[in-house]
Amino acid sequence: MFKITRAFSSFSVNDIQKAREFYGQLLGIETSTPMDQLQLNIDGNKIFIYGKPNHAPATFTVLNFPVDNVEKAVTELTAKGVKFIIYNEENFKTDEKGIFRMGGPLIAWFKDPAGNILSVVEESPAM
């Protein structure tokens, strides 16, 4: 049944205009505004972002951005004012830049203006 459907992801924010500025201007993603909401157009994939007055930020990663080089992506985004999340849990730590280096692909997490968690993840040949 779902083999031929075009599935898409969605998540909420509390302010569509701030989301439009963040995703479109700061991150440089192509956006459109169907039904006064926000759609991200990424490499033929569509992600729908909708406004929700009682929005609660996701406590997990809602969107991952594969990149060739996490160090470079973190440096560039930090220069634009993006703040990366520093984790310092016993079995889960990031470095001072916010990059996770404890196994698996290099990854760093940050938040959108609504508090949703996003990441840049170093692309491996298997991704």
Side-chain angles (χ1 to χ4, degrees):
M1 169 171 22
F2 294 117
K3 282 181 140 181
I4 58 171
T5 188
R6 293 193 57 134
F8 64 93
S9 178
S10 66
F11 56 92
S12 70
V13 296
N14 57 350
D15 187 321
I16 288 291
Q17 183 56 37
K18 283 184 182 176
R20 185 177 294 117
E21 292 168 6
F22 179 80
Y23 288 98
Q25 295 172 11
L26 193 135
L27 297 184
I29 296 171
E30 179 189 329
T31 64
S32 56
T33 53
M35 302 175 289
D36 294 327
Q37 300 300 315
L38 182 63
Q39 181 173 290
L40 307 181
N41 304 303
I42 304 173
D43 195 27
N45 297 306
K46 296 178 174 137
I47 297 140
F48 186 69
I49 300 175
Y50 56 96
K52 185 177 177 190
N54 60 345
H55 164 76
T59 58
F60 51 87
T61 309
V62 299
L63 191 56
N64 298 286
F65 295 100
V67 295
D68 292 331
N69 184 312
V70 163
E71 294 268 358
K72 182 178 177 187
V74 167
T75 298
E76 289 174 4
L77 289 169
T78 299
K80 291 182 174 188
V82 172
K83 304 235 185 295
F84 283 84
I85 302 169
I86 305 296
Y87 291 103
N88 192 20
E89 299 171 22
E90 185 177 335
N91 295 313
F92 193 82
K93 297 180 188 302
T94 58
D95 65 15
E96 66 282 349
K97 292 180 178 181
I99 301 173
F100 179 78
R101 301 174 188 274
M102 295 179 70
L106 297 180
I107 186 168
W109 294 271
F110 59 102
K111 294 182 180 182
D112 73 2
N116 293 310
I117 300 171
L118 314 171
S119 84
V120 287
V121 58
E122 196 155 301
E123 200 166 26
S124 68
M127 290 180 94

